Amino acid sequence: MEKILNYINGELVEPTSGNYLDNYNPSNGQVYSLVPDSEESDINNAVLAAKEAFNSWSKTPKQERANILMKLADTIEKYSSELIKAESKDNGKPENLAAHVDIPRAPANIRFFAGAILHDSSQMHEMDGVAINYTLRQPVGVAACISPWNLPLYLLTWKIAPALASGNTVVAKPSEITPMTAFMLSKICIEAGLPKGILNIVHGLGSKIGDPLTTHIDTPIISFTGGTVTGKHIARVTAPMFKKVSLELGGKNPNIIFADADFDKAVSTAARAAFTNQGQICLCGSRLFIQEEIYKKFKIALIEKTKKLKVGDPKEISSNLGAIVSKEHMNKILSKIEEAKKLGGKILIGGKRVILDGELKDGYYIEPTIIEGLSSDCDINQTEIFGPVVSLIPFKTEAEVIDMANSTKYGLSASIFTENISKGHRVAANIDSGVVWINTWLLRDLRIPFGGMKQSGVGREGGFKSLDFFTEPKNICVKI
Ligand code: NDP
C-alpha cells in the first residue's frame, strides 16, 4: 500500500514515530494509502529546516523567486491528469470538477503571486520638505499554512504561493483526510528543483500537530483555512504570542432570489451553489431565500433541476455529485437532515444515503437534498452543515430578507438575484459578508480581497492583500 511521506528540507521522510494513519477512498470506503501520523518532533524538524532556509530565500532577488515559482507551476501542470485523478480519489469529488476547478487553480495561484511580486510597489510619504518616509515590506519568517480537505491542492497553493513569493519559508499542514495531492506536490517540488527547506509539508492530525505548529516560537505568521471552531482555538492559543494570524473560516451563505430575477439563471445557479462539490465549499449557498411571489414556481423548478443531478462514480463524466469526503462527515450530514425533520422541516427531494452498485457499494454518497418549512432562526438554518443540503425560506420584503440573511454568526459570502441593478447594489451594501455576488456565484478574481466577516474569519487574503499579510511593513524616515 502506498505510503505518503513528509517533505522536510527537500527530502521525503518517514514520520519520526514510524506511525501511519489509514487514508480512505470515499468513493468505495476502502483504505488505499497510509498517511504519516506525525508528532511534535516532525514539526520541529520542519520548522528548523524552514528557519535555516529563510536566511537565503528571504534575500533571493524577486525575479529569481518568481522564476523558481514559475518553474514549479509548469511542473504541476505537467502532472495535471495524475493530480486530477488523485484529488478525486482522495476527496470523492467528481474528476470533472477537479479537472475544471481544483487542479487548474494550483498552477494559476502560483503564477499569479510569482507575477504579483514583480509588480508590487511600496508607499512614500513626503513631509513638506522636512523628511521623507518610505515603507519597506519584508518577509516575516516561517509561515505556518494550514488547509482543509474540501479543495485540498487549490487551498494549499493559495497559501504557499504568496508566502513563498514574498520571501517567507513555509511549513504546511494539509488535512490528514485528503493528503495525497500535497504529497504529489512534494515530489513535484523536488523535480522542479525548489530550494531545500523553503517549503516543508508535514502530514498528520490537527489535534496532535496543530498546536506544536501554531504555537512554535519560530512560526510568527499563520494562515489558516478551516472550520470556525478550529479557527477560534488557533486564535486563543496564539493570541498571547502576538503572531500575525489570518483565519478563513466557515459560512452559512444566503442566496437571495427576488421576484424580478432572471428566473432560469437563478434556478440553475441556486442548484450549482447548493450542490457543487457535494455542498462542501465554504462559499456554497445553503440558505435559499425566495421572494413569495415566485416561491412555488421556483421551488418546483429547483426540484426538477435537482432530479436531473446524478450522484455517481466520481470517475464518470456524467456524475454531477461524487462522494462525501469521509464516513464521519457523511453521518454528520445525515444526522443534520434527521434533525431538520424533527424540527418540522419537509424534505422536498433527497435526504438519504445513496448506495451505489458493485465496488462502490460502501462509498459515502448522499442525495442532493432540499428542505422547506424551517424558520430562519432554527439551528439547521444557523449553523454550517457543509453537505449537499439546501434550505428554502420565503420572504416578503427587502428589509425582511436582509435581516434574515444577516442573522447568523457567519459572514462569508452571499448571492443576490435581481434584474433591478439599484436594488442589487443596495442589498449588497447591507449584507454582512466579505463577498457578495450579484446574479452569479463563485466567480473569483484572484486580485480581490477575500475573507469573511463575523465568525467567518479575520483578515483578508487575495491579490496584494496576501502580499501585505505575508510581509511586515517597516517605516524608514529620512530627514532632508
Ligand atoms: P477543520 O477546521 O476541521 O480543519 C482544517 C485544518 O486544520 C485541517 O488541516 C485540520 O487538521 C487542522 N486542524 C485541526 N485542529 C487543529 C489545531 N488545533 N491547530 C491547527 N490546525 C488544526 O476544517 P475542515 O478540514 O473540516 O474543513 C471544512 C471547514 O473549512 C468548513 O467549516 C469550511 O467552511 C471551512 N472552509 C473555509 C474556507 C474559507 O475560505 N473561508 C474555504 C474552505 C473551507 P485535521 O484534518 O487533521 O483535523
Side-chain angles (χ1 to χ4, degrees), residues 85-153:
K85 287 187 172 53
E87 200 70 295
S88 166
K89 188 172 179 178
D90 215 24
N91 173 280
K93 67 178 68 207
E95 280 189 9
N96 196 23
L97 183 70
H100 287 97
V101 177
D102 296 70
I103 302 308
R105 260 299 287 280
N109 283 337
I110 294 172
R111 288 190 182 117
F112 177 83
F113 287 108
I117 50 167
L118 303 177
H119 299 274
D120 204 2
S121 59
S122 61
Q123 288 177 311
M124 195 279 280
H125 297 87
E126 199 263 333
M127 294 173 71
D128 299 325
V130 179
I132 52 168
N133 291 275
Y134 64 92
T135 306
L136 278 185
R137 298 211 68 105
Q138 297 177 313
V140 187
V142 179
C145 296
I146 303 170
S147 46
W149 48 255
N150 62 334
L151 300 163
L153 191 65

Side-chain angles (χ1 to χ4, degrees), residues 16-333:
T16 46
S17 67
N19 295 334
Y20 287 82
L21 304 160
D22 290 338
N23 186 30
Y24 289 83
N25 173 348
S27 77
N28 61 17
Q30 305 300 313
V31 175
Y32 82 101
S33 58
L34 297 172
V35 57
D37 183 8
S38 301
E39 298 184 336
E40 186 165 1
S41 48
D42 300 291
I43 292 289
N44 290 344
N45 292 342
V47 174
L48 185 63
K51 194 179 171 190
E52 282 174 8
F54 181 75
N55 292 329
S56 57
W57 182 248
S58 58
K59 294 180 187 70
T60 301
K62 288 189 185 69
Q63 182 66 62
E64 209 178 308
R65 292 206 298 260
N67 294 346
I68 289 169
L69 290 172
M70 288 293 188
K71 181 152 183 222
L72 176 61
D74 293 345
T75 317
I76 293 175
E77 211 154 61
K78 186 174 136 190
Y79 291 100
S80 282
S81 54
E82 289 86 346
L83 288 163
I84 289 163
K85 287 187 172 53
E87 200 70 295
S88 166
K89 188 172 179 178
D90 215 24
N91 173 280
K93 67 178 68 207
E95 280 189 9
N96 196 23
L97 183 70
H100 287 97
V101 177
D102 296 70
I103 302 308
R105 260 299 287 280
N109 283 337
I110 294 172
R111 288 190 182 117
F112 177 83
F113 287 108
I117 50 167
L118 303 177
H119 299 274
D120 204 2
S121 59
S122 61
Q123 288 177 311
M124 195 279 280
H125 297 87
E126 199 263 333
M127 294 173 71
D128 299 325
V130 179
I132 52 168
N133 291 275
Y134 64 92
T135 306
L136 278 185
R137 298 211 68 105
Q138 297 177 313
V140 187
V142 179
C145 296
I146 303 170
S147 46
W149 48 255
N150 62 334
L151 300 163
L153 191 65
Y154 173 129
L155 288 172
L156 177 67
T157 51
W158 178 241
K159 296 181 178 306
I160 64 177
L164 291 173
S166 312
N168 303 279
T169 53
V170 171
V171 176
K173 195 212 93 58
S175 171
E176 105 284 350
I177 299 167
T178 53
M180 188 54 84
T181 49
F183 175 49
M184 292 168 75
L185 177 68
S186 312
K187 294 193 265 188
I188 289 169
C189 289
I190 295 171
E191 181 177 328
L194 204 74
K196 283 183 185 214
I198 68 165
L199 172 63
N200 305 271
I201 302 177
V202 182
H203 299 274
L205 295 167
S207 52
K208 208 180 216 178
I209 56 173
D211 282 1
L213 176 59
T214 56
T215 61
H216 197 294
I217 191 149
D218 288 322
T219 57
I221 176 161
I222 298 161
S223 172
F224 170 80
T225 298
T228 295
V229 172
T230 317
K232 265 187 198 168
H233 174 81
I234 292 174
R236 192 166 53 241
V237 297
T238 59
M241 303 180 80
F242 306 107
K243 297 193 177 209
K244 276 193 106 174
V245 180
S246 164
L247 302 171
E248 303 279 355
L249 309 175
K252 186 77 179 174
N253 311 303
N255 193 353
I256 301 171
I257 318 292
F258 284 100
D260 61 6
D262 175 331
F263 189 84
D264 293 340
K265 186 160 74 180
V267 172
S268 59
T269 314
R272 209 162 55 82
F275 303 129
T276 300
N277 206 33
Q278 299 72 247
Q280 302 164 129
I281 299 181
C282 53
L283 304 166
C284 275
S286 52
R287 290 184 297 150
L288 189 51
F289 295 100
I290 307 159
Q291 202 156 22
E292 268 183 5
E293 296 94 299
I294 58 161
Y295 182 84
K296 200 167 167 207
K297 185 177 164 205
F298 196 94
K299 174 175 92 174
I300 292 167
L302 187 68
I303 294 171
E304 284 309 307
K305 189 107 207 152
T306 305
K307 269 186 199 156
K308 295 194 184 102
L309 296 176
K310 182 180 160 198
V311 180
D313 184 348
K315 289 197 188 101
E316 277 176 23
I317 188 104
S318 58
S319 297
N320 303 103
L321 282 83
I324 301 297
V325 73
S326 68
K327 191 173 189 176
E328 194 189 12
H329 193 53
M330 174 184 71
N331 288 335
K332 185 195 140 191
I333 297 167

Side-chain angles (χ1 to χ4, degrees), residues 379-431:
D379 186 60
I380 293 295
N381 282 332
Q382 290 287 314
T383 54
E384 191 181 37
I385 296 176
F386 218 52
V389 182
V390 64
S391 177
L392 310 191
I393 306 163
F395 71 92
K396 282 195 178 71
T397 65
E398 201 177 306
E400 182 195 14
V401 77
I402 290 170
D403 271 356
M404 289 195 288
N406 288 340
S407 68
T408 73
K409 64 184 177 191
Y410 303 103
L412 189 57
S413 73
S415 285
I416 299 163
F417 286 82
T418 174
E419 290 297 288
N420 178 338
I421 196 63
S422 301
K423 181 159 63 184
H425 287 299
R426 196 167 59 233
V427 176
N430 283 295
I431 297 283

